Every structure is written in C-alpha cells, then in structure tokens.
Amino acid sequence: MAIESFGTMFSRAILRHLSIKGPTGAVELARELGTDPNTARRTLRNLEAAQLVEANLPVGERRGRTVAFSVNAERLDSLLIALKDYLSGR
C-alpha cells in the first residue's frame, strides 16, 4: 500500500502545500519549501507513482514544459483512512 508515501517529512510538506495552494510546479515547490528542484521532482515522481498527486501533462509530454502538480484528494482521503485503521489496530 502507498501509506509509505507519508513517511518522509518532505512528502508530507509537498502534499500539504499542494492541498493549501493548489497546482504547483516542481521549481516553485522547491523554492517555497527550501530545497533543490531535483529533490522536488524526485519526490513528486514518487507521490505520482503512489497516485497521491496528479500532473496536468502526461509523462511523455513533459520534456521542456512546466508541469503543475495537484493533490489527488480522493486517493489521499482513502490512504488517510487506511493509516488511521492501521494505527488503531483494525
């Protein structure tokens, strides 16, 4: 399960930022969260693989273009419920 995606503080910071501010690109996320763009891109790829974030462009159309990422709220909600159940021993 993708509950592990909540594991890093930076992943949680990205999810929080996108939830509050809406669609944002990797460079802007890096600047606002105080890291380098490659770290933001790598974390966004992991979050996208876990279906926690969605991009406005498909993978094959991103080269050289600004990609905006947003939270997949339905997936986030379902994983938060699963995490709560896990922590509650259910």
Side-chain angles (χ1 to χ4, degrees), residues 5-67:
S5 298
F6 297 125
T8 70
M9 187 177 289
F10 191 59
S11 293
R12 292 188 303 267
I14 286 178
L15 290 170
R16 184 173 194 278
H17 182 280
L18 295 175
S19 293
I20 293 168
K21 305 250 179 166
T24 310
V27 173
E28 184 180 344
L29 272 170
R31 184 174 49 252
E32 292 190 22
L33 298 176
T35 192
D36 66 280
N38 287 330
T39 299
R41 285 185 194 97
R42 184 174 46 253
T43 305
L44 285 163
R45 277 194 305 270
N46 291 338
L47 290 169
E48 188 175 23
Q51 300 175 347
L52 283 164
V53 300
E54 300 169 326
N56 66 330
L57 294 171
V59 174
E61 297 176 21
R62 296 181 189 177
R63 189 162 185 83
R65 298 175 72 185
T66 300
V67 180

